[in-house]
Each structure stands twice: as C-alpha cells, then as structure tokens.
Amino acid sequence: MRKLTRLLALLLCFFAFAEACGEGYAEGGITMARPSTTGALHVEGAKLLGQNGEAVQLKGISTHGIAWFPQYVNAECFQAFASWGANLVRLAMYTGEYDGYCAGGDQEKLKALIRQGVAAAKQNDLYVIVDWHILSDNDPTTHKEEAKQFFAEMTAEFGDDPSILYEICNEPNGGTSWGTIKAYAEEVIPVIRENAPNAVILCGTPNWCQFIWEAAADPITDFDNLMYTMHFYAGTHKDDLRNAMREAVEGGLPVFVSEYGLCDASGNGALDLESTKAWMDEIDALGISCAMWNLSNKDESSAVLQPSCTRTSGFSDGDLSGSGLWLRDMLKNWSGT
Ligand code: IDC
C-alpha cells in the first residue's frame, strides 16, 4: 500500500514537473515569450532577450494597412492568432499610400486604431509592433517630421510599455541609401527614447529591407535595443538573401524579420512552400523573430483569410487561405499549442 502511495506521489511530481517545463517554453528550449512572462525585451549582440536574459523569439502576424482593414484591429480577432500560439502582432500603418497617414488619411482615426491595436494585443498577452509603413514614399526622410510627431505623441501615451516595439520605417526603397536611413534613425530614435527609454526599436534597411549587410558594415552605435529588419517573400527570395541574413546574424547584427510571405514579393502568386520551409528552418536555427504578411481577406495569396470570409474573429478552417492554414500549423507546432 505504502509503495503504491509513493508511486502515485512520484507520478504526480513527474506530471507537475512536465507541466512546469511545458508551460511557457517552445521546443528547443527557447522561451515562449509573452509580455506577462518575459516582460521588457532587450537586445544583446544579435539576440533578443527577455527581462531575465532569456533568449526569446517572437512569431505572429502583421495586419494589412489598418486604414483599409480596420475591422481586424480588435481583441477578438487577435485572440485567434494568440490561440494558435502567436506572441506577436504588427500594426502596419501606411504613410504614403492612399488614405495613408501622410497621404490624406484621417490621422486621428489612424492613431485611434493604433491605440485600439495596442490595447487588443495587450489583452491577448501579445507583443505588438507599431509600424510606420513607408513604401511608395520610398525614402523615410520624405515624411520625417510627421514620423517624429507621430512617435512623440504615441510614446507620450504609451510610455515605456514593455509590450510595444517601434518600427520606424517599413521598407526604404527607390535607391535610398543606408546613410540616409541611418541619419533618419538617429533623429527619430531619440524622440522615441524620450518617453520609451527601453523599447526595442526596429529600423528598415535599403532596397525593401534586403541590403542588411550595409547596416552591418555601418551600424547605428549611439543607441541600444535596436534591431535591423530584413524582409523575405519565399517565392522571390532564395538562398542569396538567406545567406546574407545568416552572415549578418553570425557577424553580430540583431536582425528582425518584421514581414515575410510565402508567395512572391507582390504579395500574390503561388505559395512556395519548399522555399518557405528553407526560410523557417533558418529563422528557427538563428532564433529570429518574424511576422507574416497579412491579416486581411484581400484577394491576394498573402492574405490569411479567404476573400469570401466576412468573419473578423473565431475563424474556421474554411475561412483560412493557404497562407492562413500554413500560419496556423506553423504557430501550433512551434508553440506546442
Ligand atoms: C502590399 C499589399 C497589397 C497592397 C500594396 C500597396 O499586399 O495589397 O496593395 O502593398 O502598395 C511589401 C510591403 C507591403 C506589401 C507587400 C506585398 O511592405 O506593404 O503589401 N510587400 O507586395 N514588401 C514586400 C512585399
């Protein structure tokens, strides 16, 4: 009888231990980061770390332009992704596109959407990126003053909130040099730092966030907790860019993939799952954080919802596109959910 009791006690201990190990940890021993567990993030060398120095990897989804798809910027919607194991959402606010922040968009409404998105992310215990989504405006200095004002106002409200990361320019392009981007960053970062001294800041790199080696050769040294963004679309970008990503990280550059897609760089076209696998294997091997483009039902293959899906939360299998199904399975496997 006593033996049986001891055996039962042992078994209970074992299950309690297994449960404790399973909780909060993704496979491979990397901490499953959440604001409630890993708190304020910081950057050390090429690594993103949690409040206790633990290596963290963030994975999740980027919204489409919040001006165009505001219906997905709410807690019920984000809950679907959190339930699959996501710990990150990115709020993409276009600046130069139609209805963008600097292109006649309703700035008050856009700021309200950012607040709403941040609150929705926090409700779901997700980290959240506030993304100043330059694109057709090519060069971040085009709207530098607006950027400074926007970040000053937002950070004055959010303070040093550990859930929030700031992405100061999505994808510089049109020949914008790293020198120009760096000078822009050196003006915008202090504005953010005034209210959010510890927030992780993401900075774009030349040629739609591909020429990360240019940032690696001449990094921004005056500020800490800074990462450099690299974007890939698996149908378009292959070994060359992936090797550049690995080299940059191995050389000590903190890289964050704040946007990627399974299709081609137009955001449409066939999903290249083989190339995607090669990318994700490398991303996991290096512990890089990443957000998939995009949360919408737009008729393009990068959208995670079917064009016919009118639901904005509680998605069923039939609501998900090929990209959506892939994201769900990837997140579930990764997080063990
Ligand atoms: C695309 C959207 C598309 C939209 C277009 C606006 O998928 O619906 O009409 O922007 O110009 C990026 C950009 C991202 C692009 C995406 C796909 O950051 O804004 O979204 N992409 O082209 N970089 C590489 C690809």
Side-chain angles (χ1 to χ4, degrees):
M1 191 63 196
R2 225 193 273 154
K3 257 192 187 159
L4 192 67
T5 322
R6 220 182 288 156
L7 188 71
L8 272 174
L10 252 165
L11 268 174
L12 271 175
C13 280
F14 172 76
F15 284 126
F17 177 71
E19 168 115 5
C21 287
E23 209 170 277
Y25 288 88
E27 261 175 78
I30 292 178
T31 302
M32 181 69 210
R34 301 230 170 253
S36 64
T37 55
T38 39
L41 304 174
H42 64 280
V43 181
E44 241 176 71
K47 288 192 164 20
L48 182 60
L49 304 176
Q51 61 187 354
N52 298 314
E54 63 278 51
V56 304
Q57 187 181 17
L58 307 182
K59 282 191 184 179
I61 187 155
S62 175
T63 67
H64 203 295
I66 55 172
W68 304 327
F69 295 96
Q71 66 271 38
Y72 302 111
V73 186
N74 62 73
E76 294 71 35
C77 181
F78 292 175
Q79 198 276 332
F81 302 93
S83 76
W84 299 346
N87 53 7
L88 174 69
V89 66
R90 175 187 191 231
L91 305 172
M93 187 184 73
Y94 280 91
T95 50
E97 265 60 16
Y98 173 76
D99 262 354
Y101 194 84
C102 308
D106 182 338
Q107 296 192 347
E108 290 311 313
K109 197 168 139 203
L110 288 166
K111 281 183 286 192
L113 279 167
I114 292 284
R115 286 181 202 108
Q116 201 171 301
V118 166
K122 287 164 68 85
Q123 257 173 277
N124 285 290
D125 205 10
L126 298 166
Y127 286 100
V128 55
I129 300 173
V130 174
D131 162 35
W132 182 256
H133 201 86
I134 71 157
L135 191 62
S136 62
D137 34 351
N138 305 355
D139 178 337
T141 56
T142 312
H143 298 299
K144 187 180 67 186
E145 291 312 316
E146 289 98 323
K148 284 163 75 176
Q149 251 173 28
F150 169 77
F151 285 115
E153 203 175 325
M154 289 292 109
T155 55
E157 288 181 30
F158 297 140
D160 213 15
D161 188 321
S163 306
I164 309 175
L165 297 84
Y166 294 96
E167 185 167 0
I168 59 176
C169 51
N170 171 47
E171 289 185 354
N173 61 83
T176 306
S177 71
W178 170 243
T180 302
I181 301 166
K182 187 178 176 186
Y184 164 83
E186 285 169 346
E187 268 195 63
V188 176
I189 293 169
V191 172
I192 296 176
R193 285 280 175 262
E194 206 164 298
N195 299 312
N198 300 301
V200 170
I201 295 175
L202 310 179
C203 182
T205 54
N207 201 50
W208 295 278
C209 290
Q210 286 167 42
F211 294 176
I212 40 169
W213 53 88
E214 294 190 357
D218 179 24
I220 297 164
T221 49
D222 294 352
F223 307 95
D224 54 10
N225 290 340
L226 187 64
M227 301 186 89
Y228 301 85
T229 56
M230 204 228 61
H231 293 172
F232 73 84
Y233 281 77
T236 303
H237 306 117
K238 304 281 160 81
D239 286 352
D240 285 359
L241 190 61
R242 195 160 50 248
N243 291 340
M245 176 178 80
R246 187 191 319 116
E247 267 169 41
V249 172
E250 285 175 354
L253 193 78
V255 172
F256 198 113
V257 175
S258 55
E259 196 183 292
Y260 70 93
L262 281 48
C263 55
D264 63 50
S266 71
N268 213 344
L271 306 187
D272 188 337
L273 296 180
E274 206 177 304
S275 171
T276 300
K277 183 176 178 336
W279 274 105
M280 287 319 289
D281 286 351
E282 192 67 13
I283 286 221
D284 286 339
L286 296 168
I288 295 179
S289 296
C290 56
M292 193 176 103
W293 184 262
N294 72 74
L295 169 47
S296 80
N297 67 346
K298 187 164 175 174
D299 192 5
E300 58 182 11
S301 61
S302 58
V304 296
L305 302 171
Q306 295 281 4
S308 58
C309 171
T310 50
R311 238 188 283 242
T312 55
S313 63
F315 309 112
S316 66
D317 283 6
D319 293 328
L320 302 176
S321 67
S323 287
L325 290 167
W326 178 89
L327 180 70
R328 183 195 62 184
D329 294 347
M330 182 279 285
L331 287 172
K332 284 188 170 218
N333 285 332
W334 170 68
S335 64
T337 345

